[in-house]
């Protein structure tokens, strides 16, 4: 699902082409089905490749190999030694068509929308592209003969990639969103649990680019304060809320411990008009000097100075 191999490539994969220590597997052979008969052959030159494994994938393969060894012991002499990674419990190699039929049945049992086994290969490519992986790397991962094939196949993903890239570039440069305080923020004693208080800043579009952001401990509780701003969307509303709360903490000797953006909690069709941010703040008290007295038990200042001078004299001598 994450590496995007072809069905025949996985059916042919031998343990000799897998390293769970160095975390890689090598695609160097495949099984081809013709009229349900199987033929082993080398993939095209461009399809021979080495894929890196994640730590989790490596752990899963170690666990699966241990289970395979257990089955080998249980079946004894009846066990079929194929050397393949993916086999039936008696060691027999998996038929590519059996893999597809089994996958279709698992999808039916899951209750999820129908998807083909080959769609997992597309999923691997899509996830890689959306994660920001260079398309050349994705091409090599899938074993495509050229970058153009990968680009043509996943053109529907590229606009999303370009939009995400534009947003990420903008996010690198911090921007302050101007706002007006309509009701000063007041955090009542009931909002505190010891020295910690947690509350939400809920933003809602009023009209056009005008937003109102109110602080509340619960959705149906009284407002602790409110600001208004002219913003382009929920991110501007959230950024203004963060600046508002940070200014309040600075002015009242409080510590802003945590900020959590919950904008994605809204349905997609509502995200343009609402924002939600959770804040955790703490009372920060620094020790004062009132009533401070010199602790007892320390040597007099003159004695400390004399010893220090004596030590320096000995060192110079």
């Amino acid at each position: 699902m994450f590496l995007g191999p072809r069905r025949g490539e996985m059916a042919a994969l031998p343990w000799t082409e897998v390293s769970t220590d160095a975390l890689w597997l090598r695609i160097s052979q495949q099984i081809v089905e013709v009229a349900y008969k199987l033929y082993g052959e080398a993939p095209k030159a461009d399809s021979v490749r080495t894929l890196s494994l994640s730590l989790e994938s490596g752990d899963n393969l170690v666990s699966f190999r241990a289970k395979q060894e257990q089955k080998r012991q249980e079946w004894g002499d009846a066990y079929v030694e194929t050397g393949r990674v993916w086999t039936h419990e008696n060691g027999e190699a998996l038929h590519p068509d059996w893999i597809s039929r089994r996958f279709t049945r698992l999808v039916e049992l899951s209750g999820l929308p129908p998807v083909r086994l080959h769609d997992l290969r597309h999923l691997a490519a899509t996830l890689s592209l959306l994660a920001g992986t260079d398309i050349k790397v994705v091409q090599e991962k899938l074993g495509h003969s050229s970058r153009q094939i990968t680009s043509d196949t996943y053109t529907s993903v590229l606009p999303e990639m370009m939009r995400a890239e534009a947003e990420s570039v903008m996010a690198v440069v911090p921007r302050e969103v101007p706002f007006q305080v309509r009701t000063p923020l007041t955090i009542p004693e009931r909002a505190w649990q010891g020295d910690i208080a947690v509350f939400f800043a809920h933003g809602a579009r009023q009209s056009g680019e005008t937003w109102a952001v109110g602080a509340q401990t619960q959705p149906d509780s009284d407002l602790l304060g409110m600001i208004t701003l002219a913003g382009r969307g929920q991110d501007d509303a959230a950024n203004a809320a963060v600046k508002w709360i940070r200014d309040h903490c600075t002015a009242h000797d409080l510590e802003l411990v945590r900020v959590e953006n919950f904008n994605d909690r809204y349905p997609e069709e509502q995200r343009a008009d609402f924002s939600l941010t959770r804040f955790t703040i703490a009372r920060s008290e620094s020790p004062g000097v009132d009533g401070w007295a010199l602790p007892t038990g320390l040597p007099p200042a003159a004695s400390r100075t004399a010893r220090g001078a004596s030590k320096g004299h000995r060192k110079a001598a």
Side-chain angles (χ1 to χ4, degrees), residues 92-224:
E92 288 184 2
L94 298 182
H95 192 291
D97 185 63
W98 181 92
I99 298 175
S100 293
R101 287 186 286 106
R102 177 61 177 164
F103 179 79
T104 300
R105 179 57 179 156
L106 290 174
V107 171
E108 292 173 353
L109 293 174
S110 73
L112 295 171
V115 62
R116 304 171 304 160
L117 176 66
H118 191 73
D119 290 333
L120 298 187
R121 181 169 162 84
H122 297 316
L123 174 62
T126 301
L127 291 175
S128 293
L129 291 170
L130 291 177
T133 306
D134 186 271
I135 197 167
K136 177 64 177 177
V137 176
V138 177
Q139 171 215 326
E140 295 174 352
K141 175 179 180 177
L142 297 179
H144 285 162
S145 58
S146 73
R147 175 174 176 160
Q148 189 63 44
I149 292 176
T150 310
S151 178
D152 290 345
T153 304
Y154 299 101
T155 50
S156 61
V157 183
L158 296 180
E160 281 293 318
M161 291 172 52
M162 291 172 13
R163 187 185 66 80
E165 188 272 343
E167 292 294 337
S168 64
V169 170
M170 289 295 293
V172 169
V173 183
R175 289 186 297 120
E176 286 194 2
V177 181
F179 61 88
Q180 291 183 320
V181 177
R182 296 300 183 184
T183 306
L185 180 62
T186 302
I187 305 175
E189 194 61 34
R190 66 177 182 276
W192 292 92
Q193 298 291 329
D195 289 333
I196 297 294
V198 178
F199 57 91
F200 294 84
H202 175 223
R205 187 191 299 273
Q206 303 299 293
S207 62
E209 294 186 348
T210 302
W211 285 72
V213 179
Q216 297 172 282
T217 55
Q218 297 294 336
D220 55 352
S221 63
D222 295 334
L223 285 176
L224 308 180

Side-chain angles (χ1 to χ4, degrees), residues 71-85:
K71 292 299 180 182
R72 178 183 283 104
Q73 299 299 324
E74 293 175 359
W75 280 79
D77 294 339
Y79 190 82
V80 181
E81 297 289 353
T82 60
R84 300 272 171 78
V85 173

Side-chain angles (χ1 to χ4, degrees), residues 5-7 30 47 178-179 190 195 213 215 261 265 269 276 298:
R6 299 177 177 89
R7 180 183 67 172
Q30 65 179 346
S47 294
F179 61 88
R190 66 177 182 276
D195 289 333
V213 179
N261 191 322
R265 299 296 178 92
E269 63 274 10
L276 187 65
L298 293 180

